[in-house]
Amino acid sequence: MKRTTEWIIEKLIFISGIGSIVFVALIFFFLLKEGLSLFASVNVFSFLFGVNWYPISEPPQFGILPLILGSLLVTLGAVVIAVPLGIASALYVAEVAPKWLSEILKSGIELLAAIPSIVLGFIGIATLAPFLKNVFNLPSGLTALAGSIMLAFMAMPTIVSIIEDSINSVPRSYREGSLALGATRWQTIYRVILPAASSGILAAIMLGIGRVIGETMAVLMITGNAAILPTSILQPVRTLTATIAAEMGEAVSGSEHYFALFAIGIVLFVISFIINLVADFFMNRNKKRNKKK
Amino acid sequence: MDKLPIKMKAVDLNAWFSGKQALSKINMDVYSNKVTAVIGPSGCGKSTFVRNLNRLHETIPGATVEGAVFLDEENIFKPRYDLVDLRRRVGMVFQKPTPFPTMSIYENAAAGIKLAGRVPRPVVDQAVETALKQAALWNEVKDCLDKPGIGLSGGQQQRLCIARTLAVRPEVILLDEPCSALDPISTGKIEELIHELKKEYAIVIVTHNMQQAARVADFTGFFLLGELVEFDVTGKIFTAPRDKRTEDYVTGRFG
């Protein structure tokens, strides 16, 4: 009797475990099958580097370069904003703030992660876009910059909590070694602690990028959605994700347009995969180095 | 021993970890150009004592301290005492070698000097070389100064940490069980080094190893349960201790 229960539980756990892998594989194959169909009629080069995205004109043009650049521009902007802020707040939480305050701040930062992205997009449209419009005297505030700022907020919780972890995992002995040499707290932080935590910081940045580049709802609402080659961060752009979200509903199943959206999915998949791989690499390096001590 | 110049003096020093008393009423002197050993069983407060001599104890969350420690007749616990200056004058080497992981051998040795501000490269070079020579490490590393410090052996790492401390030209050196992670050969080298260094510095060494205390120290203090049981010239502590507890400890009857 006991044996049977044991056997059933074992198999159930096995199926659940293997299930997640199977699902990922199925999703990947489906994506690949649908996306690759596009390349029967469109060549890969003109898809990736074409500058015109006119999926429903006659003949349709499927150049996703503006979308790739749109995604990269918005992401880059978000990273430039979120990384210095993230490092600074992680340092404050981990090193400077008194314990009670750092507990409050930590929950606050985690709460930021709990805000649905559509709500952030909504706030962005209502407050950030008009603000940017006035400050830079633009025809519209819905720009790459607006997207970057909103996405920076979304990436912050990931970035802060991972950097904070890696700062905390710097052995106490390094800190004391530095203090004992007559280093001030700030010297200890930037000469010893930050370099020792650098892998974790890089991992945090990569994961933050991963979070940002896959984000859809907020950028769809706030970046202005113009599939043109961006020349400035104050222009409207359209990202890869927003394109899929906006057009999937109207693309006829089985049409070239439909396949093109799946092909965009493949591009996104590849980008996220590379980012996660790089983040993983840095995380492991961090762990190894701290274990050595 | 009263005529010797006193470098540091602890007066009624008490210390706590989160309310738990680790040191009670310690009164002890550290003499210039002498080696003072601090011995006692684990948890007796010897590390806590030396960590108060450069005020590192209170950097641990929940740690508190009361009493006074004088460095050249100035109380280091007085308000607004410059901790950076204190820690440059009272250098410390830890039990576990702790070279900075991201720095080369050269950068490790130069770390303390560079903290003080902009120093011309030749001056740093000279100071690094002198410190590494003093720490008896120069011959082993002079051809690979740009290699990472954590690539060295444990004994070499510890001598690198000593060099790092010496490079700042302190007045007092605190050694917190500097040999407990090292093999006998490295230990021997560091003990020789201590003999050399006392010509210029006041040295305090915490050790578990009573033979080591007997070999290197001029004075020895025996700590037990946070109290300084007995403090005297090393020979007396080991051959004619006044307190029964000291005698039991040094003869190996407990601890």
Side-chain angles (χ1 to χ4, degrees):
Chain A
M1 186 56 217
K2 206 147 198 188
R3 285 273 169 80
T4 333
T5 335
E6 197 86 347
W7 186 85
I8 292 171
I9 291 173
E10 216 171 84
K11 290 304 164 211
L12 273 178
I13 294 172
F14 172 76
I15 290 167
S16 328
I18 221 73
S20 60
I21 301 175
V22 170
F23 283 127
V24 171
L26 284 178
I27 290 169
F28 183 63
F29 283 122
F30 182 69
L31 192 63
L32 221 54
K33 179 177 140 295
E34 300 289 74
L36 291 181
S37 308
L38 177 74
F39 302 117
S41 51
V42 177
N43 86 44
V44 180
F45 189 83
S46 67
F47 175 69
L48 287 177
F49 300 105
V51 294
N52 293 316
W53 175 257
Y54 300 133
I56 42 178
S57 61
E58 207 47 58
Q61 284 181 282
F62 298 109
I64 63 164
L65 191 64
L67 312 179
I68 294 178
L69 291 180
S71 273
L72 292 183
L73 184 65
V74 171
T75 304
L76 188 75
V79 168
V80 166
I81 298 167
V83 167
L85 269 179
I87 293 179
S89 36
L91 272 178
Y92 185 72
V93 170
E95 289 287 318
V96 184
K99 200 159 190 285
W100 61 269
L101 184 58
S102 83
E103 290 301 321
I104 294 176
L105 285 174
K106 264 198 261 183
S107 353
I109 290 163
E110 270 152 34
L111 215 61
L112 196 57
I115 300 175
S117 70
I118 191 129
V119 173
L120 277 177
F122 199 60
I123 294 170
I125 288 185
T127 60
L128 184 62
F131 173 76
L132 291 176
K133 184 180 166 188
N134 290 337
V135 170
F136 294 103
N137 203 13
L138 301 168
S140 158
L142 299 174
T143 55
L145 179 62
S148 294
I149 294 173
M150 267 0 250
L151 287 180
F153 275 110
M154 268 178 244
M156 280 284 278
T158 315
I159 292 182
V160 172
S161 57
I162 294 175
I163 294 182
E164 199 228 329
D165 278 350
S166 63
I167 288 175
N168 280 334
S169 72
V170 173
R172 207 187 145 70
S173 57
Y174 295 161
R175 216 166 299 230
E176 295 197 334
S178 170
L179 287 176
L181 275 180
T184 60
R185 182 150 78 173
W186 171 237
Q187 285 173 325
T188 303
I189 287 173
Y190 86 82
R191 282 176 195 257
V192 176
I193 294 176
L194 282 183
S198 61
S199 303
I201 294 173
L202 286 170
I205 294 171
M206 295 316 289
L207 288 175
I209 292 176
R211 173 92 172 79
V212 166
I213 209 155
E215 173 49 41
T216 308
M217 247 16 251
V219 287
L220 176 65
M221 292 167 79
I222 205 178
T223 54
N225 266 319
I228 43 171
L229 276 181
T231 51
S232 142
I233 196 148
L234 295 174
Q235 271 183 350
V237 295
R238 175 188 263 195
T239 64
L240 294 165
T241 49
T243 307
I244 300 178
E247 295 177 11
M248 202 41 133
E250 60 205 47
V252 181
S253 177
S255 68
E256 278 189 342
H257 187 194
Y258 173 87
F259 291 137
L261 295 179
F262 273 96
I264 293 178
I266 296 176
V267 172
L268 267 173
F269 184 89
V270 169
I271 294 175
S272 313
F273 183 73
I274 292 172
I275 290 169
N276 274 315
L277 214 61
V278 175
D280 240 31
F281 169 76
F282 285 123
M283 294 266 242
N284 283 331
R285 203 175 67 168
N286 205 31
K287 264 186 215 136
K288 257 184 227 146
R289 187 151 66 192
N290 285 336
K291 218 178 269 167
K292 223 170 158 185
K293 278 276 95 189
Chain B
M1 75 197 232
D2 291 325
K3 280 167 269 162
L4 287 166
I6 293 175
K7 187 69 192 172
M8 294 193 87
K9 186 181 188 66
V11 180
D12 289 341
L13 188 67
N14 293 288
W16 294 265
F17 286 107
S18 308
K20 192 172 168 290
Q21 189 147 20
L23 287 180
S24 37
K25 292 230 166 219
I26 305 296
N27 287 282
M28 192 173 137
D29 296 342
V30 174
Y31 303 102
S32 298
N33 303 103
K34 295 288 174 207
V35 177
T36 306
V38 179
I39 60 168
S42 295
C44 68
K46 34 187 211 307
S47 283
T48 308
F49 173 68
V50 294
R51 289 167 60 87
N52 269 303
L53 299 183
N54 66 351
R55 292 187 57 181
L56 210 52
H57 168 71
E58 65 210 53
T59 63
I60 296 171
T64 49
V65 62
E66 239 173 46
V69 172
F70 294 89
L71 171 62
D72 286 341
E73 300 181 349
E74 195 179 7
N75 185 1
I76 65 171
F77 284 102
K78 75 178 187 191
R80 282 191 292 284
Y81 190 86
D82 184 353
L83 288 184
V84 169
D85 183 59
L86 170 69
R87 289 172 187 153
R88 300 183 79 80
R89 292 174 67 193
V90 183
M92 182 162 192
V93 176
F94 298 86
Q95 175 174 5
K96 228 171 60 176
T98 54
F100 299 126
T102 52
M103 297 185 191
S104 69
I105 294 172
Y106 179 93
E107 286 166 335
N108 260 289
I113 309 167
K114 287 189 174 167
L115 289 174
R118 289 222 156 274
V119 182
R121 176 83 190 206
V123 179
V124 181
D125 283 348
Q126 190 53 50
V128 166
E129 186 177 336
T130 311
L132 287 171
K133 277 179 177 160
Q134 273 184 306
L137 189 61
W138 176 252
N139 287 331
E140 291 158 56
V141 301
K142 64 180 178 215
D143 299 320
C144 56
L145 288 174
D146 52 354
K147 294 245 173 71
I150 43 173
L152 296 171
S153 74
Q156 288 173 325
Q157 286 187 18
Q158 192 62 303
R159 276 178 284 148
L160 178 59
C161 290
I162 293 177
R164 179 173 86 187
T165 306
L166 294 177
V168 197
R169 310 218 56 77
E171 298 160 32
V172 181
I173 299 177
L174 311 173
L175 303 160
D176 188 359
E177 298 186 36
C179 303
S180 65
L182 305 183
D183 65 78
I185 295 169
S186 303
T187 302
K189 281 190 177 161
I190 288 183
E191 287 180 9
E192 270 172 47
L193 183 61
I194 293 171
H195 272 295
E196 278 305 303
L197 293 175
K198 76 172 183 180
K199 291 173 191 158
E200 287 179 63
Y201 306 94
I203 295 174
V204 182
I205 177 171
V206 173
T207 178
H208 261 300
N209 179 330
M210 282 180 281
Q211 287 80 17
Q212 182 170 59
R215 282 193 299 265
V216 301
D218 302 292
F219 295 91
T220 298
F222 171 59
F223 279 66
L224 188 64
L225 302 171
E227 280 176 56
L228 177 59
V229 173
E230 191 166 349
F231 177 70
D232 213 324
V233 280
T234 302
K236 267 208 178 146
I237 292 281
F238 284 99
T239 56
R242 275 171 286 133
D243 196 290
K244 178 80 171 57
R245 291 169 293 175
T246 314
E247 189 184 337
D248 285 350
Y249 185 73
V250 298
T251 53
R253 242 168 286 171
F254 83 93

